[in-house]
Amino acid sequence: AETYILQKDTVTAAHWLDECVKVDPFNADAWTARANIAISRKEWQAADTLLSKAIHLRPRVAPNYVNRALARCNTNNLRGAMADYDIAIDIDPDNFLAHYNRGLLRQQVGDDNRAIEDFNYVLRIEPGNIMALFNRAVLLDQTGNLRAAVRDYTKVIDQFPNFWVGLSKRASCYRRLGMTAKAELDEFRILKAQMNKHLGVQPRWSK
């Protein structure tokens, strides 16, 4: 099965992994490998079931919980996914992906303050992670920490000067802080960019 996986022949690999667990149903690695194939095919319910078998046999493997959480998010089992991220972080407190994904999930369900905690962790490890910066900025904005939100929006805009959504959100923060001149500058940048786009001029973020 491993040889077929290396050859990217997942159909044959899946067949041999199925044979493997018939012969040895206690082989956690085989269940995990079979689950990974299911994930690659976006067979989320199957992946959940297969990872549950692997976790039952070997319960202290953090990546299995992270992957099962992904499968559960895709079957709308958000409570189960959150529990899996919590367990993954309990097993491996430095699991970057678990913190990042749990932050996104907490943001999705409106648990803003705890989502900020997860993005704080992510940004300690990767200070330049633009998506984490923007997500944290939105959360800080929503929870009323406007100056911190402006700080994060500014870092994103420094990287992507034509990011209209970021400029609009920063302008809104400036207005609520009473910094009208700065708000108007951002609003003018958006207006100018929209006019340029109308004329067929649209600078790209990067090559």
Side-chain angles (χ1 to χ4, degrees):
E2 285 176 2
T3 303
Y4 281 113
I5 287 169
L6 288 171
Q7 293 175 341
K8 298 190 175 6
D9 181 354
T10 55
V11 173
T12 312
H15 164 74
W16 287 113
L17 288 165
D18 290 342
E19 290 297 309
C20 178
V21 295
K22 280 182 199 169
V23 174
D24 178 11
F26 301 105
N27 187 324
D29 291 332
W31 288 111
T32 300
R34 185 68 185 80
N36 289 338
I37 291 172
I39 288 171
S40 72
R41 295 174 177 171
K42 296 184 166 51
E43 295 169 351
W44 306 116
Q45 197 61 61
D48 186 342
T49 303
L50 293 160
L51 283 163
S52 295
K53 298 226 181 229
I55 286 166
H56 176 71
L57 293 166
R58 197 179 294 159
R60 301 290 295 172
V61 180
N64 283 348
Y65 289 97
V66 174
N67 285 335
R68 189 172 69 175
L70 173 66
R72 287 178 166 182
C73 281
N74 280 281
T75 56
N76 213 31
N77 178 3
L78 302 187
R79 191 184 297 275
M82 192 74 78
D84 277 351
Y85 287 133
D86 289 344
I87 295 167
I89 291 165
D90 183 54
I91 295 167
D92 178 11
D94 296 323
N95 191 302
F96 180 87
L97 194 58
H99 278 285
Y100 192 99
N101 288 354
R102 187 175 69 177
L104 291 174
L105 185 55
R106 282 173 165 176
Q107 184 173 18
Q108 185 181 335
V109 300
D111 190 356
D112 292 351
N113 287 310
R114 294 207 299 167
I116 289 168
E117 288 172 15
D118 277 326
F119 288 122
N120 287 344
Y121 174 87
V122 167
L123 288 161
R124 273 200 304 276
I125 306 299
E126 281 189 10
N129 188 311
I130 289 295
M131 284 307 299
L133 268 169
F134 181 67
N135 283 318
R136 187 174 70 177
V138 170
L139 289 159
L140 290 165
D141 188 343
Q142 287 170 186
T143 54
N145 191 346
L146 301 179
R147 291 187 185 280
V150 165
R151 176 202 64 210
D152 283 357
Y153 286 136
T154 300
K155 286 178 183 174
V156 174
I157 292 161
D158 286 347
Q159 288 282 318
F160 299 104
N162 305 307
F163 182 36
W164 297 1
V165 174
L167 285 165
S168 174
K169 285 184 174 294
R170 186 173 70 175
S172 169
C173 287
Y174 280 144
R175 283 209 174 274
R176 282 175 285 156
L177 286 164
M179 301 164 75
T180 309
K182 283 182 175 289
E184 286 174 351
L185 276 173
D186 279 350
E187 287 158 0
F188 178 72
R189 281 172 70 178
I190 296 165
L191 180 65
K192 187 167 180 289
Q194 287 172 335
M195 288 169 66
N196 283 341
K197 187 181 179 186
H198 186 68
L199 296 169
V201 179
Q202 190 177 7
R204 294 291 162 197
W205 287 354
S206 68
K207 289 180 185 176

